[in-house]
Tab-separated table of all heavy atoms in Angstrom:
chain	number	residue	atom	x	y	z
A	37	SER	N	-19.188	6.312	48.029
A	37	SER	CA	-18.427	7.345	47.291
A	37	SER	C	-16.982	7.474	47.833
A	37	SER	O	-16.024	7.521	47.066
A	37	SER	CB	-19.101	8.687	47.415
A	37	SER	OG	-18.340	9.698	46.832
A	38	LEU	N	-16.830	7.415	49.136
A	38	LEU	CA	-15.488	7.521	49.722
A	38	LEU	C	-14.654	6.277	49.395
A	38	LEU	O	-13.506	6.373	49.093
A	38	LEU	CB	-15.602	7.664	51.255
A	38	LEU	CG	-16.191	9.007	51.733
A	38	LEU	CD1	-16.416	8.985	53.231
A	38	LEU	CD2	-15.299	10.161	51.295
A	39	ARG	N	-15.271	5.103	49.347
A	39	ARG	CA	-14.594	3.879	49.047
A	39	ARG	C	-14.145	3.902	47.527
A	39	ARG	O	-13.035	3.536	47.235
A	39	ARG	CB	-15.493	2.654	49.299
A	39	ARG	CG	-14.810	1.338	49.087
A	39	ARG	CD	-15.662	0.186	49.510
A	39	ARG	NE	-17.053	0.179	49.038
A	39	ARG	CZ	-18.097	0.328	49.845
A	39	ARG	NH1	-17.968	0.477	51.110
A	39	ARG	NH2	-19.322	0.368	49.322
A	40	ALA	N	-14.987	4.419	46.683
A	40	ALA	CA	-14.676	4.509	45.262
A	40	ALA	C	-13.530	5.444	45.020
A	40	ALA	O	-12.715	5.249	44.105
A	40	ALA	CB	-15.890	4.942	44.458
A	41	LYS	N	-13.381	6.510	45.823
A	41	LYS	CA	-12.298	7.453	45.666
A	41	LYS	C	-10.962	6.794	45.970
A	41	LYS	O	-9.923	7.211	45.386
A	41	LYS	CB	-12.495	8.683	46.560
A	41	LYS	CG	-13.587	9.654	46.088
A	41	LYS	CD	-13.712	10.795	47.006
A	41	LYS	CE	-14.829	11.730	46.490
A	41	LYS	NZ	-14.988	12.844	47.337
A	42	ASN	N	-10.955	5.827	46.838
A	42	ASN	CA	-9.688	5.181	47.240
A	42	ASN	C	-9.278	4.062	46.276
A	42	ASN	O	-8.168	3.557	46.353
A	42	ASN	CB	-9.821	4.609	48.660
A	42	ASN	CG	-9.972	5.717	49.704
A	42	ASN	OD1	-9.461	6.810	49.478
A	42	ASN	ND2	-10.623	5.415	50.782
A	43	MET	N	-10.158	3.637	45.389
A	43	MET	CA	-9.860	2.580	44.488
A	43	MET	C	-9.092	3.141	43.240
A	43	MET	O	-9.271	4.289	42.824
A	43	MET	CB	-11.159	1.934	43.952
A	43	MET	CG	-11.940	1.239	45.043
A	43	MET	SD	-13.490	0.577	44.448
A	43	MET	CE	-12.913	-0.554	43.202
A	44	THR	N	-8.227	2.277	42.709
A	44	THR	CA	-7.502	2.665	41.501
A	44	THR	C	-8.514	2.648	40.360
A	44	THR	O	-9.229	1.696	40.173
A	44	THR	CB	-6.383	1.621	41.204
A	44	THR	OG1	-5.464	1.610	42.353
A	44	THR	CG2	-5.595	1.974	39.971
A	45	LYS	N	-8.457	3.664	39.572
A	45	LYS	CA	-9.412	3.811	38.415
A	45	LYS	C	-8.738	3.238	37.199
A	45	LYS	O	-7.648	3.645	36.851
A	45	LYS	CB	-9.840	5.202	38.267
A	45	LYS	CG	-10.572	5.722	39.501
A	45	LYS	CD	-11.266	7.033	39.243
A	45	LYS	CE	-11.849	7.538	40.561
A	45	LYS	NZ	-13.211	7.607	40.598
A	46	ALA	N	-9.408	2.338	36.526
A	46	ALA	CA	-8.884	1.706	35.302
A	46	ALA	C	-9.139	2.617	34.113
A	46	ALA	O	-8.316	2.702	33.192
A	46	ALA	CB	-9.479	0.341	35.082
A	47	ILE	N	-10.271	3.294	34.102
A	47	ILE	CA	-10.613	4.193	32.981
A	47	ILE	C	-10.535	5.631	33.501
A	47	ILE	O	-11.100	5.972	34.465
A	47	ILE	CB	-12.019	3.871	32.462
A	47	ILE	CG1	-12.129	2.380	31.993
A	47	ILE	CG2	-12.443	4.823	31.410
A	47	ILE	CD1	-13.479	1.968	31.606
A	48	VAL	N	-9.701	6.398	32.808
A	48	VAL	CA	-9.511	7.799	33.208
A	48	VAL	C	-9.891	8.750	32.076
A	48	VAL	O	-9.889	8.363	30.904
A	48	VAL	CB	-7.996	8.034	33.590
A	48	VAL	CG1	-7.623	7.282	34.816
A	48	VAL	CG2	-7.092	7.671	32.463
A	49	GLU	N	-10.224	9.952	32.434
A	49	GLU	CA	-10.655	10.966	31.462
A	49	GLU	C	-9.627	12.073	31.435
A	49	GLU	O	-9.246	12.575	32.455
A	49	GLU	CB	-12.051	11.510	31.850
A	49	GLU	CG	-12.592	12.560	30.924
A	49	GLU	CD	-12.238	13.965	31.369
A	49	GLU	OE1	-12.059	14.189	32.563
A	49	GLU	OE2	-12.185	14.825	30.516
A	50	GLN	N	-9.208	12.420	30.222
A	50	GLN	CA	-8.351	13.579	30.054
A	50	GLN	C	-8.830	14.372	28.841
A	50	GLN	O	-8.938	13.851	27.779
A	50	GLN	CB	-6.897	13.138	29.794
A	50	GLN	CG	-6.232	12.448	30.998
A	50	GLN	CD	-4.773	12.080	30.695
A	50	GLN	OE1	-4.441	11.779	29.542
A	50	GLN	NE2	-3.956	12.137	31.711
A	51	ASN	N	-9.142	15.610	29.131
A	51	ASN	CA	-9.640	16.525	28.058
A	51	ASN	C	-10.861	15.952	27.342
A	51	ASN	O	-10.937	16.064	26.102
A	51	ASN	CB	-8.498	16.842	27.127
A	51	ASN	CG	-7.360	17.544	27.764
A	51	ASN	OD1	-7.545	18.329	28.699
A	51	ASN	ND2	-6.130	17.246	27.345
A	52	GLY	N	-11.748	15.305	28.034
A	52	GLY	CA	-12.951	14.756	27.436
A	52	GLY	C	-12.789	13.434	26.723
A	52	GLY	O	-13.737	12.920	26.174
A	53	ILE	N	-11.598	12.860	26.761
A	53	ILE	CA	-11.344	11.563	26.136
A	53	ILE	C	-11.093	10.536	27.189
A	53	ILE	O	-10.215	10.721	28.093
A	53	ILE	CB	-10.159	11.673	25.180
A	53	ILE	CG1	-10.467	12.657	24.064
A	53	ILE	CG2	-9.827	10.268	24.596
A	53	ILE	CD1	-9.339	12.986	23.165
A	54	PHE	N	-11.816	9.427	27.159
A	54	PHE	CA	-11.670	8.362	28.146
A	54	PHE	C	-10.653	7.307	27.588
A	54	PHE	O	-10.800	6.879	26.436
A	54	PHE	CB	-13.000	7.688	28.427
A	54	PHE	CG	-13.908	8.599	29.205
A	54	PHE	CD1	-14.785	9.456	28.555
A	54	PHE	CD2	-13.886	8.572	30.585
A	54	PHE	CE1	-15.596	10.314	29.271
A	54	PHE	CE2	-14.715	9.422	31.341
A	54	PHE	CZ	-15.564	10.274	30.658
Side-chain angles (χ1 to χ4, degrees):
S37 175
L38 293 173
R39 186 172 47 248
K41 286 182 182 179
N42 294 330
M43 295 176 61
T44 301
K45 298 191 186 244
I47 300 174
V48 294
E49 180 267 333
Q50 291 182 329
N51 299 325
I53 299 173
F54 290 89

